[in-house]
Amino acid sequence: MTPSTCIFPPTYMTTSSLITIQINNNDNNCLNYEWRQYPNEEEESKALSKCDIYDPNQRLKYSSILLFDSEFFSFEKKSATVWAKRSEKINLLFKPQKSIEYKAIAYLYNKDTKQRIPYRIIGRGLPSNAEFNISQINVSRIALESQYDYQIQLLNKGKIPLDFEYVERNIDSGLKFKFSPAKGHLEV
């Protein structure tokens, strides 16, 4: 396979990245493959034993329970055939939902020889970026039971739209802050 490990470029949350990988079949026989999520037959047997084949809903999942499944990484084709002395290109998609590093291993499973080749997949989600237009507000002395209004702006400094929400916290001094709007959406 080319590349041997798939490392996605850092990708902003809620967007996606696509990498094309190539599966080479240098053998004289066709390669009938599928992407699986378990490293061996023992793990697959455990997963299948948890599935009740008499339950119609679980019976639908039974045929796909062994296939690679991830909410963040997905193969365009989960199974196919590569003819002898040929290669095939398939797309792999990455959709991060958080600003963390994602890792997975998919197993290229040869249906004829039962051989598995591990394929590492790595991706990093990038956060959205917002800043207030000022770094601090000097309120000096405040009369009790008075209300003061200050106007500040939350600016989207990132490269993707973002959603925001004010989370209220208790402050030891007893002061209360209110933001309007308390939640919303900022375009780029």
Side-chain angles (χ1 to χ4, degrees), residues 7-33:
I7 302 174
F8 281 93
T11 305
Y12 286 100
M13 297 181 320
T14 71
T15 64
S16 61
S17 285
L18 183 77
I19 287 184
T20 301
I21 63 174
Q22 183 169 312
I23 299 173
N24 301 311
N25 182 6
N26 298 324
D27 199 16
N28 291 325
N29 300 315
C30 288
L31 168 64
N32 296 305
Y33 75 88

Side-chain angles (χ1 to χ4, degrees), residues 6-132:
C6 183
I7 302 174
F8 281 93
T11 305
Y12 286 100
M13 297 181 320
T14 71
T15 64
S16 61
S17 285
L18 183 77
I19 287 184
T20 301
I21 63 174
Q22 183 169 312
I23 299 173
N24 301 311
N25 182 6
N26 298 324
D27 199 16
N28 291 325
N29 300 315
C30 288
L31 168 64
N32 296 305
Y33 75 88
E34 60 188 15
W35 290 102
R36 297 244 178 136
Q37 65 179 342
Y38 298 103
N40 53 47
E41 286 184 27
E42 184 181 321
E43 294 291 323
E44 289 181 342
S45 295
K46 286 180 190 175
L48 290 173
S49 69
K50 295 176 185 175
C51 192
D52 180 5
I53 60 170
Y54 299 110
D55 179 349
N57 294 327
Q58 295 213 1
R59 204 172 30 242
L60 291 172
K61 292 192 307 187
Y62 193 81
S63 62
S64 64
I65 202 165
L66 302 178
L67 297 177
F68 179 76
D69 186 34
S70 166
E71 31 177 326
F72 314 110
F73 300 111
S74 61
F75 289 95
E76 182 180 64
K77 293 181 184 176
K78 291 201 177 199
S79 65
T81 299
V82 182
W83 294 99
K85 305 292 184 189
R86 300 278 184 184
S87 61
E88 179 175 332
K89 292 183 178 183
I90 60 170
N91 292 326
L92 180 55
L93 188 69
F94 172 48
K95 289 180 147 184
Q97 297 302 312
K98 294 181 180 178
S99 177
I100 59 173
E101 185 172 78
Y102 294 88
K103 292 181 180 182
I105 297 177
Y107 298 90
L108 182 69
Y109 177 73
N110 183 330
K111 292 192 231 179
D112 299 321
T113 65
K114 313 286 189 237
Q115 186 180 27
R116 295 167 203 263
I117 300 170
Y119 191 68
R120 290 177 19 125
I121 309 167
I122 301 168
R124 177 144 197 79
L126 293 176
S128 47
N129 184 14
E131 295 177 1
F132 287 109

Side-chain angles (χ1 to χ4, degrees), residues 117-165:
I117 300 170
Y119 191 68
R120 290 177 19 125
I121 309 167
I122 301 168
R124 177 144 197 79
L126 293 176
S128 47
N129 184 14
E131 295 177 1
F132 287 109
N133 64 337
I134 57 174
S135 60
Q136 68 180 12
I137 298 175
N138 185 358
V139 293
S140 71
R141 296 174 190 241
I142 298 174
L144 295 175
E145 297 183 19
S146 296
Q147 181 175 330
Y148 293 90
D149 291 334
Y150 297 92
Q151 190 169 34
I152 59 174
Q153 291 180 331
L154 182 61
L155 306 172
N156 186 350
K157 298 286 190 175
K159 297 181 180 182
I160 59 170
L162 66 92
D163 294 317
F164 67 91
E165 183 173 359

